[in-house]
Every structure is written in structure tokens, then in C-alpha cells.
């Protein structure tokens, strides 16, 4: 059976016992939740745009404070974990328990590594003197501000927006990793998902792709521009 | 556990939408009285020139808490009480889509409200106004705990509203009875749906605003601090991008209630159902494009001002359409002036006045004269008191018999209505003139030379009349609890499904889920015969047992906020731990079994 027909057939009975739209309750709930998440990140990103373009002076050029190659690798990791999530979903849609376990675990690992790299990045940045309030006195970056290679006037905003946006994204990834770990041990490993009912995989997958998508936007506007 | 379960435990663990609706109602009603008391102290202070009842500092706390309480702790939750109680009944469902999430919403709301009001115990109630403009709220200008209580409390309350929003959207879209197509939904349910979409999209924006403020105050960021390159006007944009949809979050449910009450007491279907529904949806969309009319005095430039003036004028059109439809519903009807109907008619009249003063703000030159004066206070009270509160009172008289099984007394209801109606016009109409004569809002006193002393006294008398009317209503609720006329299933001859079951309804609502074939199922002769008599009723209907985990998960939020207020990291972490355990146990609790 192809994946598409598997979805079409398997996702109907038994669970759309609900009348109404063509999405079961938790899936519809997740979509609605993601709609509010879109507004949350829109608020954050919109604030960033307003603050950056209204800033009193030039913004630090890309690559001077942040390590782009490391985060580019991290972005790659997160995109891979989105792919493995799709593979996990496709596996259980075809009733393949073994591959579900493999791909689901890889997704968790990808997310966990992303968080790990982000923690490493934060520690490194704080060590170099880049903190939410700007640049720490007496640090490596403070010297660069003093010798004029970093703009003094906007570093406070840079720190504020960088840590807030990437921090909230990292928090979302962490929540995803924690929930997927719960699901892995309580549902995936004991083989509770079947070809007839794999709602949990689909719903957590929606969340995971959303988090991934947000990161692609954040990586572009925070690191590359 | 059966529905007849009583006692404290059954209420703490309940997931029954009707019980949660009652909890919302009583909690919000108490907050409504608290907010009303704050208003009476404010009016007593302003009764004459150079008042000395309260200090300027206390006055700041009073007006901030009056508005915050009324908007977030009284009016929104009172509408939520009706969402909870009535919507599942109107769509023929046995509960909401996520019953435990519903309980969670309520407990978060209650605990958030208590947290916010606990600030009074520390003498540090929020004092930055209900829209808390930056940079007045910065650490530099507000060093106390007042603003911390405010921003943490509002974040908690936002979670309650968001969780309820997800729940009700799924409920309305997915749990409709067979045959209940979207364009057969009762208008109240439709307006609830639009409201919930506004909530789930608007509350994230104020969450962002509050989070950025919190980081500025706690972690030394500089989002709103000009000294660090930040932008105080950003706060105004974020707040009003939330704040204007919030206005519709407050008024649309009231419009929905009125759209139920008017047809029932005119014995006529609502005139132009489709247009009323589409107007509500249109208001929901257009509510997103008008926020900067709150900010004309910022000086955003002629292009921005013109744009927002135009959109603000445009939004009056769907609102006006609704008003004409309501009036046309009355035309030629057999009108019965019950208390619910009086409040619904009062709603139309008062909301027209509030709407007209709103249109006068749409013109930037006029608005510059009116902004931050009592004219604005007059406007907001005509739409929120004359509008939302009148709509809520109409809903209370209308659905009280369904919720309690007894009718509220009509004679007391008559007194309640007329005292409220006269009181509100005495209280708020003079404020238009007080404002245009130049008295600014949020100033704790005024001098006799301003020439507004008499009008302020009249306003205060009106406010106390409203207070007396509220006491009459409380007495009415207390008295009819035992002595009210027994309502029966359908005391008003209503058209919608909630009137087809007993009052109060059994825990599972419907013995057999009805099949709906029209917009007014109880008014179509053949309708509801579709229910097979006794055939399937023998099957026992499963009612889920209660759960402690929503309450436990909800309790983590005020714990975290308390830790944040006291700058105690271990307390915050303890709250996080409770939340994680609560959600984990919740997720794997055998709830359906």
C-alpha cells in the first residue's frame, strides 16, 4: 500500500468519531495552537525588525559576534530531524513498527543535539562577553567595542533581541524533545501506535515541523542578514 | 464518578463544562463586585474638588486595578462562563473537546486573579494604568513590585484564555450534533467562535509585549529603554495590536447573547442571520487593522493616521449592520419585556451611543483633543458597561433558569434594570463634557476653578446607583435560589437546543444526541421528533471521572510567578517541576476509561 492511501484509509475509522471538520480533535487543536504560536513568533520577529531598523546607529555586521558555521551546522541538524520525523510518520502509516522506532529516535537525537549545540553557543558567547544586556565590561568583545569594530550604541539591543528570540526557539525545541521522549518510552517502544491509529506521531510531527520552520526564519534574519 | 457527586473534592476535580461554567461565573462575579468597589472609591474621591479620601498613590493603584480587574478578571471570564455552560448545550455536545484542559483554564484564571490581587497585601498593587505604557513601567520609574505583579499576573491570565481558546474552537468545529452545519449554528455560538479566534491570535502578542517588559525589568535588556537604544513606542504598538482585538473579544460575545435574546422575546427569527454572522466575522478581521487609532497622539505621521482613521470608520459599518438587524428583528414581533429583553434593548441603545463616540475618535484632529481625557472614559464605559455588561446581564436573566432550574424574579429584575440604566447614564454621560472641558483621566483630584465639580458629583451619584442596582441583583440571585419560580425545561420558548433538555441539565446533557435540520430546531414543527423516544435512551452514557492534574498543573504558574516576584530561583524551579509532573501525569492518566 502506498503511503498516501495508507493515510487516507487508516486515518479515518475508528477515531473520527467526532462529527465536524475532517481533522480529529487533537490534530485540530494542534493546528489552532500553532496559529497562536505563529502570532507569538510574529510578535517577537516584528519587534526585532522594528528595533533593528529604528536603532540609533549601525547594527553589528554578521559573523563578528556570532559563529555562523556552527549554527549553520545546527540548522542542518534540525532540518534533518524534520526529515526523520516525516520518515517516522511514513513508517507507521505503513505499519512498520521497527522503522518508526528508528526514525523517531533519530528525530529526538537531532533535536537534543540542536539544544546541546545551542547551549554550547550560549556559553561561548557569554564567555566572550556577549550578554542579554549587551557587552560585559572588561571582556573580549568590550575591547572590540572600544576599538570601534563593534557599534557601541546597538549592542544592548543586539543582545536583547538575540537571546530572546533564539532562547524562545530553544525553549520550544526543548519542549518538543521532552514530549517526544515521553512518547517514545510510553507509546513508540511498547508498540502502542498502529497503522489504524498513530495520532500522537502526527500531532507531535506538526509541532516539530513548525519549530523547524521558525528556526529557518530566525537563522536567516538573526545570523545571516 | 457520577454527576450527583457533591462536596469539595467533586468541584476541585470536576471536568464537567457546566460546573466549570458555574465556577467561572461565581469567581468572575466576585471579581466584578471587587472591581465595582474600586470604581466606587474612585468616584467617591472625585465627588467634589480637592478630594482627600485616598492618596495619589492609592488612586493610581485603584484605577489600574479597576480596569485590569474588569477587563481580565470580570468581563472576559463572565463571557467564558457562558461559553462553558451554553456552547456545548447549543451544539448538542456532551462536553467540550478537552474537558481537563477546560478545568485547567479555570484554575489558571482563578489563581492568576488571586495572584494579581495579592499585590494589595503588599501595598504594591499595579499602578501603571491598564495599558502600562513604557517607559513608565521601567525599573527606573517604577522600582517597586507593582508592575511585576501586573506583568506576571497578566501572563498567567493569558495562558488561561489561550487554553480555553484552543478548546472552544475545536469544540465548536468538531463536536456539533449531526446536521448542525456551520450556518445553522446559533449566533451566540458563532460569536464565541470568532471571539476565540481573536483570543488565540491576540493574546500571543500581549504575551510578547509582557515578556519583553519582564526581560527589561529582570534581566537588563533594553527593548523599551531609549537609553539602551530601545523603543517605548514598540510597547504601544504591541499592546494595542492586542488591545483592539481585545475590545471585540469583550463585545462580540455580548452581541451573540443579544442575538439570542431578541428573537426569543420577539417571537421572530433573527432578521438577516447570515448577514449578522458575516458581520461578526468581518468585525473579527477588521479588528486587526485599527490599533493605531489608540496612538494618534504619538505622532505617527499623516499617512499612518489617515490609514487608521479610514479603517476605524470602516469597522463601524458591520457594527451598524448588526444594529439594524437587531432593530429589524423587533419590527412586528410579539415583544415581551422581560428583564433579559430590557437589558438586550438597553444594550442596543447604549452601544449606539458608545459606538458614535467611538467614531468621533476615528478622526485624528478630534481625537487629539479627546485623548487621555474623561471623554475616552465615557466612550469605553458606554461600550463596555452599556455594551458588554448589559449583554451579560441579559444573558444572566436569560440562561439563569437553565443553569439553576429557577427563574430570577422579574420585579426585582425591573428595578435592577432601571436603576442600572439610569445610573449608568448619570455616571458616564457627563464624562463626555467633563473630558471635552479638559479634565484629564487618571488624575486623583481637580480644582473647583475647572468648572466640572457639579458634573463630577452627578457622575458619582450615578455610580452609586449602579452599585445599589448590583446589590438588588445579588439579592435577587440569593432569594430565587430557594423561592424562585421553577423554570421547567424551556421557560422562554427558546429556539435553540439548550432548551430541549432539563434545567439544570443532567451531567451528560443529552440522553440521545439530537439531529438538527434547521437553524431554529425548536421552532420548526417537525424538528427534534428526530429523537427516537426511549429507543436508545436506555444505554448508559459514560461521564468521565474528575481529575486532580489540571488543578495541580495550574498551581505551578502562581508558584513560578511568586518565585519571580521574590527573585527566588528555587521557587521558580519548584513551580517548573510541578508543571512537568502535572502535565506528565495528566497525559497518561486513564481519563476516558
Amino acid at each position: 500500500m502506498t503511503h498516501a492511501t495508507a493515510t487516507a484509509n487508516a486515518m479515518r475509522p475508528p477515531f473520527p468519531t467526532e462529527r465536524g471538520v475532517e481533522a480529529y480533535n487533537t490534530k485540530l487543536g494542534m493546528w489552532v495552537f500553532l496559529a497562536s504560536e505563529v502570532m507569538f513568533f510574529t510578535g517577537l520577529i516584528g519587534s526585532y525588525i522594528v528595533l533593528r531598523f529604528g536603532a540609533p546607529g549601525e547594527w553589528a555586521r554578521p559573523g563578528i559576534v556570532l559563529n555562523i558555521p556552527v549554527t549553520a551546522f545546527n540548522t542542518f541538524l534540525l532540518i534533518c530531524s524534520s526529515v526523520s520525523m516525516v520518515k517516522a510518520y511514513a513508517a507507521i502509516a505503513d505499519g512498520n513498527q521497527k522503522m518508526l522506532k528508528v526514525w523517531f529516535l533519530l528525530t529526538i537525537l537531532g533535536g537534543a543535539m540542536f539544544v546541546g549545540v545551542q547551549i554550547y553557543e550560549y556559553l561561548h558567547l557569554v564567555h566572550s562577553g556577549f550578554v542579554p544586556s549587551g557587552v560585559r565590561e572588561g571582556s573580549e568583545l568590550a575591547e572590540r567595542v572600544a576599538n570601534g569594530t563593534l557599534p557601541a550604541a546597538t549592542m544592548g539591543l543586539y543582545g536583547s533581541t538575540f537571546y530572546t528570540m533564539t532562547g524562545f526557539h530553544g525553549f520550544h525545541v526543548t519542549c518538543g524533545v521532552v514530549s517526544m521522549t515521553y512518547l517514545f518510552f510510553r507509546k513508540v517502544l511498547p508498540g502502542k501506535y498502529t497503522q489504524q491509529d498513530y495520532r500522537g506521531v502526527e500531532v507531535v510531527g506538526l509541532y516539530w515541523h513548525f519549530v523547524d520552520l521558525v528556526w529557518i526564519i530566525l537563522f536567516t534574519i538573526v545570523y545571516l542578514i | 464518578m457520577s454527576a450527583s457527586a457533591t462536596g469539595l473534592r467533586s468541584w476541585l476535580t470536576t471536568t464537567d463544562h457546566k460546573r466549570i461554567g458555574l465556577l467561572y461565573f461565581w469567581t468572575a462575579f466576585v471579581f466584578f463586585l471587587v472591581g465595582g468597589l474600586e470604581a466606587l472609591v474612585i468616584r467617591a474621591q472625585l465627588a467634589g474638588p480637592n478630594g482627600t479620601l485616598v492618596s495619589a498613590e492609592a488612586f493610581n493603584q485603584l484605577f489600574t486595578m479597576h480596569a485590569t480587574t474588569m477587563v481580565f478578571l470580570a468581563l472576559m471570564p463572565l463571557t467564558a462562563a457562558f461559553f462553558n455552560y451554553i456552547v456545548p448545550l447549543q451544539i448538542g455536545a456532551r462536553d467540550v473537546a478537552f474537558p481537563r484542559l477546560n478545568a485547567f483554564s479555570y484554575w489558571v484564571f482563578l489563581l492568576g486573579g488571586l495572584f494579581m490581587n495579592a499585590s494589595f497585601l503588599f501595598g504594591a498593587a499595579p499602578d501603571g494604568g491598564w495599558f502600562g505604557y513604557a517607559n513608565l513601567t521601567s525599573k527606573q520609574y517604577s522600582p517597586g513590585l507593582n508592575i511585576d505583579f501586573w506583568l506576571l499576573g497578566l501572563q498567567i491570565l493569558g495562558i488561561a484564555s489561550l487554553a480555553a481558546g484552543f478548546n472552544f474552537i475545536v469544540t465548536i468545529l468538531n463536536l456539533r450534533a449531526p446536521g448542525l452545519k456551520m450556518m445553522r449554528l446559533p449566533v451566540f455560538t458563532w460569536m464565541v467562535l470568532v471571539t476565540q479566534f481573536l483570543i488565540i491570535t491576540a493574546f500571543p502578542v500581549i504575551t510578547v509585549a509582557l515578556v519583553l517588559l519582564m526581560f527589561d525589568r529582570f534581566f537588563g535588556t533594553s527593548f523599551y529603554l531609549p537609553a539602551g537604544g530601545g523603543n517605548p513606542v514598540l510597547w504601544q504598538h504591541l499592546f494595542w495590536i492586542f488591545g483592539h482585538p481585545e475590545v471585540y473579544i469583550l463585545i462580540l460575545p455580548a452581541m451573540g447573547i443579544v442575538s439570542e435574546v431578541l428573537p426569543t422575546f420577539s417571537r421572530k427569527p433573527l432578521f438577516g442571520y447570515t448577514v449578522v454572522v458575516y458581520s461578526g466575522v468581518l468585525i473579527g478581521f477588521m479588528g486587526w487593522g485599527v490599533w493605531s487609532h489608540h496612538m494618534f497622539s504619538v505622532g505617527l505621521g499623516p499617512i499612518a493616521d489617515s490609514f487608521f482613521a479610514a479603517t476605524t470608520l470602516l469597522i463601524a459599518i458591520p457594527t451598524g449592520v448588526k444594529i439594524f438587524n437587531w432593530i429589524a428583528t423587533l419590527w412586528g414581533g410579539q415583544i415581551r419585556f422581560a428583564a433579559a429583553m430590557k437589558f438586550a434593548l438597553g444594550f442596543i441603545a447604549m452601544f449606539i451611543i458608545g459606538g458614535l463616540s467611538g467614531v468621533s475618535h476615528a478622526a485624528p484632529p478630534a481625537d487629539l483633543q479627546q485623548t487621555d481625557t474623561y471623554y475616552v472614559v465615557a466612550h469605553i464605559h458606554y461600550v463596555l458597561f452599556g455594551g458588554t455588561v448589559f449583554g451579560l446581564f441579559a444573558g444572566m436573566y436569560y440562561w439563569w433558569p437553565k443553569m439553576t432550574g429557577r427563574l430570577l424574579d422579574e420585579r426585582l429584575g425591573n428595578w435592577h434594570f432601571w436603576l442600572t440604566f439610569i445610573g449608568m447614564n448619570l455616571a458616564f454621560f457627563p464624562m463626555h463634557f467633563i473630558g471635552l472641558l479638559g479634565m484629564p483621566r487618571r488624575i486623583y483630584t481637580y480644582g473647583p476653578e475647572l468648572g466640572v465639580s457639579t458634573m463630577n458629583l452627578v457622575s458619582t451619584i450615578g455610580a452609586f446607583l449602579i452599585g445599589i442596582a448590583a446589590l438588588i441583583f445579588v439579592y435577587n440571585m440569593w432569594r430565587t435560589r430557594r423561592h424562585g419560580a421553577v423554570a421547567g425545561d424551556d421557560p422562554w420558548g427558546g429556539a435553540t437546543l439548550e432548551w430541549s433538555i432539563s434545567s439544570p441539565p443532567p451531567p451528560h446533557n443529552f440522553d440521545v444526541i439530537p439531529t438538527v435540520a434547521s437553524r431554529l430546531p425548536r421552532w420548526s414543527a417537525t424538528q427534534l421528533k428526530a429523537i427516537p423516544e426511549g429507543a436508545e435512551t436506555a444505554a448508559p452514557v459514560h461521564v468521565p471521572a474528575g481529575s486532580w492534574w489540571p488543578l495541580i498543573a495550574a498551581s505551578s504558574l502562581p508558584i513560578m510567578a511568586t518565585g519571580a516576584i521574590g527573585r527566588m530561583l528555587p521557587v521558580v524551579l519548584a513551580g517548573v517541576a510541578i508543571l512537568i509532573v502535572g502535565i506528565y501525569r495528566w497525559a497518561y492518566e486513564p481519563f476516558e476509561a
Side-chain angles (χ1 to χ4, degrees):
Chain A
M1 198 190 306
T2 68
H3 169 240
T5 46
T7 312
N9 297 333
M11 297 302 275
R12 282 200 181 110
F15 36 81
T17 49
E18 304 99 4
R19 297 158 298 274
V21 299
E22 289 276 313
Y24 48 88
N25 287 350
T26 43
K27 183 176 174 180
L28 183 60
M30 179 53 83
W31 275 114
V32 177
F33 171 69
L34 292 182
S36 83
E37 288 277 60
V38 167
M39 288 306 293
F40 181 79
F41 280 101
T42 304
L44 280 181
I45 293 169
S47 302
Y48 169 71
I49 293 170
V50 168
L51 290 170
R52 180 164 170 175
F53 288 96
E58 203 189 334
W59 204 254
R61 282 193 302 284
I64 297 188
V65 178
L66 307 173
N67 187 335
I68 296 177
V70 168
T71 307
F73 170 72
N74 219 14
T75 308
F76 175 71
L77 263 182
L78 200 61
I79 293 173
C80 286
S81 79
S82 238
V83 174
S84 61
M85 177 53 91
V86 173
K87 298 295 283 178
Y89 172 81
I92 191 61
D94 287 338
N96 188 337
Q97 291 285 348
K98 184 162 157 267
M99 292 319 287
L100 168 69
K101 285 170 195 161
V102 171
W103 289 118
F104 206 84
L105 187 62
L106 280 176
T107 310
I108 296 174
L109 285 178
M113 282 169 71
F114 177 90
V115 177
V117 172
Q118 199 176 22
I119 291 171
Y120 162 80
E121 180 198 25
Y122 273 27
L123 292 175
H124 183 79
L125 287 173
V126 170
H127 181 73
S128 72
F130 188 53
V131 290
S133 53
V135 174
R136 200 177 52 239
E137 303 262 331
S139 65
E140 183 192 323
L141 285 181
E143 286 170 29
R144 305 196 59 167
V145 172
N147 69 27
T149 45
L150 273 180
T154 58
M155 285 309 285
L157 275 187
Y158 193 15
S160 306
T161 51
F162 170 79
Y163 281 104
T164 305
M165 285 193 292
T166 59
F168 268 107
H169 179 266
F171 171 70
H172 278 78
V173 179
T174 309
C175 289
V177 170
V178 171
S179 345
M180 287 192 295
T181 310
Y182 281 173
L183 286 181
F184 186 73
F185 286 108
R186 296 294 297 250
K187 296 269 203 167
V188 174
L189 267 191
K192 296 256 173 76
Y193 290 122
T194 62
Q195 198 175 0
Q196 281 70 45
D197 183 358
Y198 47 90
R199 285 176 288 176
V201 179
E202 189 179 29
V203 172
V204 83
L206 286 175
Y207 175 80
W208 195 247
H209 297 314
F210 169 78
V211 171
D212 196 0
L213 185 67
V214 169
W215 180 252
I216 291 168
I217 297 168
L218 285 183
F219 179 60
T220 311
I221 64 167
V222 174
Y223 288 79
L224 300 183
I225 293 179
Chain B
M1 185 173 80
S2 75
S4 51
T6 51
L8 186 61
R9 184 177 182 281
S10 72
W11 285 92
L12 292 178
T13 62
T14 186
T15 57
D16 180 342
H17 72 95
K18 297 180 290 301
R19 286 189 165 206
I20 293 170
L22 290 174
L23 287 170
Y24 261 111
F25 179 83
W26 289 114
T27 311
F29 196 81
V30 169
F31 280 127
F32 181 66
L33 296 179
V34 170
L37 275 179
E38 286 158 0
L40 291 184
V41 178
I42 291 171
R43 280 320 315 171
Q45 161 76 11
L46 295 175
N50 300 322
T52 52
L53 183 65
V54 294
S55 65
E57 289 76 23
F59 190 83
N60 288 348
Q61 300 186 7
L62 282 168
F63 72 68
T64 304
M65 282 307 285
H66 166 67
T68 305
T69 302
M70 284 305 191
V71 170
F72 295 101
L73 301 178
L75 300 197
M76 278 184 75
L78 279 173
T79 62
F82 290 126
F83 303 166
N84 268 283
Y85 207 103
I86 301 301
V87 165
L89 302 182
Q90 283 198 333
I91 62 172
R94 292 211 162 112
D95 206 328
V96 293
F98 307 112
R100 289 176 298 173
L101 188 65
N102 203 20
F104 176 78
S105 298
Y106 167 72
W107 294 115
V108 172
F109 150 62
L110 170 68
L111 296 170
L114 292 177
F115 176 82
M116 183 92 86
N117 277 283
S119 57
F120 279 114
L121 302 177
F122 297 88
D127 57 357
W130 87 279
F131 42 71
Y133 272 2
N135 48 5
L136 177 62
T137 51
S138 66
K139 205 75 185 159
Q140 184 187 352
Y141 298 112
S142 294
L145 294 177
N146 314 53
I147 301 298
D148 292 342
F149 271 110
W150 183 73
L151 67 90
L152 290 164
L154 281 191
Q155 286 183 65
I156 296 176
L157 294 168
I159 291 170
S161 298
L162 283 168
F166 308 141
N167 210 342
F168 278 93
I169 290 174
V170 177
T171 302
I172 295 171
L173 291 180
N174 258 4
L175 299 194
R176 282 169 288 140
L180 190 54
K181 299 173 185 160
M182 292 304 284
M183 289 317 279
R184 286 178 183 163
L185 283 178
V187 177
F188 175 66
T189 299
W190 249 115
M191 292 306 111
V192 174
L193 183 65
V194 176
T195 304
Q196 303 300 347
F197 271 106
L198 287 175
I199 286 177
I200 64 133
T201 44
F203 270 78
V205 182
I206 194 179
T207 305
V208 168
L210 292 166
V211 161
L212 301 187
L213 177 61
M214 179 169 75
F215 287 179
D216 274 5
R217 291 181 61 89
F218 284 65
F219 304 130
T221 58
S222 46
F223 290 106
Y224 303 128
L225 305 177
N231 183 355
V233 179
L234 174 64
W235 167 271
Q236 296 193 24
H237 280 295
L238 289 173
F239 186 88
W240 290 117
I241 288 174
F242 151 79
H244 205 83
E246 170 69 18
V247 174
Y248 296 107
I249 289 169
L250 291 165
I251 198 68
L252 284 173
M255 290 178 165
I257 292 171
V258 167
S259 305
E260 299 292 313
V261 170
L262 290 175
T264 304
F265 292 94
S266 311
R267 314 309 304 158
K268 272 181 68 192
L270 184 70
F271 185 87
Y273 167 94
T274 333
V275 178
V276 173
V277 168
Y278 284 142
S279 298
V281 175
L282 202 59
I283 289 173
F285 275 107
M286 293 171 73
W288 281 97
V290 297
W291 79 86
S292 282
H293 69 212
H294 297 270
M295 300 166 58
F296 284 146
S297 57
V298 170
L300 298 171
I303 294 176
D305 283 359
S306 312
F307 174 81
F308 284 102
T311 53
T312 306
L313 291 170
L314 276 179
I315 206 166
I317 294 173
T319 316
V321 165
K322 286 191 161 214
I323 287 171
F324 283 117
N325 278 294
W326 291 324
I327 295 172
T329 304
L330 300 169
W331 187 267
Q334 293 171 282
I335 295 173
R336 178 179 163 199
F337 286 104
M341 184 65 164
K342 286 181 188 139
F343 274 105
L345 295 173
F347 169 96
I348 298 177
M350 295 299 98
F351 191 74
I352 289 174
I353 297 178
L356 288 177
S357 61
V359 171
S360 77
H361 301 311
D367 184 72
L368 287 178
Q369 204 62 37
Q370 297 154 0
T371 197
D372 273 331
T373 71
Y374 266 86
Y375 189 89
V376 175
V377 181
H379 163 70
I380 197 171
H381 284 91
Y382 267 90
V383 288
L384 289 190
F385 193 92
T388 306
V389 174
F390 271 51
L392 285 167
F393 278 137
M396 289 177 204
Y397 281 96
Y398 185 55
W399 281 313
W400 186 263
K402 182 51 62 185
M403 294 160 77
T404 64
R406 285 177 190 271
L407 292 155
L408 284 167
D409 187 80
E410 282 291 328
R411 210 168 53 88
L412 288 170
N414 196 34
W415 278 98
H416 175 212
F417 170 73
W418 284 109
L419 279 177
T420 308
F421 187 79
I422 294 166
M424 93 144 261
N425 281 294
L426 281 181
F428 303 124
F429 204 80
M431 286 184 183
H432 292 107
F433 302 113
I434 296 172
L436 289 179
L437 287 171
M439 180 167 165
R441 68 198 282 204
R442 299 180 168 172
I443 299 291
Y444 73 108
T445 191
Y446 54 93
E449 67 282 358
L450 202 56
V452 294
S453 308
T454 314
M455 285 191 282
N456 267 304
L457 182 62
V458 170
S459 176
T460 300
I461 292 169
F464 277 87
L465 278 184
I466 297 172
I468 293 169
L471 288 182
I472 293 175
F473 183 61
V474 172
Y475 173 70
N476 196 351
M477 293 194 289
W478 184 78
R479 203 183 98 85
T480 49
R481 167 183 67 108
R482 295 217 192 290
H483 304 291
V486 175
D489 294 0
D490 186 7
W492 313 121
T496 42
L497 285 179
E498 74 267 30
W499 304 109
S500 66
I501 51 179
S502 64
S503 308
H508 55 278
N509 298 348
F510 296 91
D511 290 336
V512 174
I513 298 293
T515 303
V516 181
S518 86
R519 239 172 235 166
L520 305 164
R522 289 185 48 82
W523 284 4
S524 343
T526 56
Q527 201 36 49
L528 289 187
K529 305 273 176 180
I531 297 182
E533 296 286 338
E536 292 175 44
T537 51
V541 178
H542 170 69
V543 178
S547 170
W548 284 102
W549 298 111
L551 173 56
I552 291 169
S555 71
S556 69
L557 295 171
I559 293 174
M560 281 186 239
T562 307
I565 283 274
R567 307 295 196 271
M568 297 173 292
L569 188 61
V571 179
V572 178
L573 294 177
V576 174
I578 293 173
L579 182 64
I580 291 174
V581 172
I583 292 177
Y584 180 77
R585 295 297 299 272
W586 171 343
Y588 290 105
E589 177 180 55
F591 181 67
E592 307 294 340

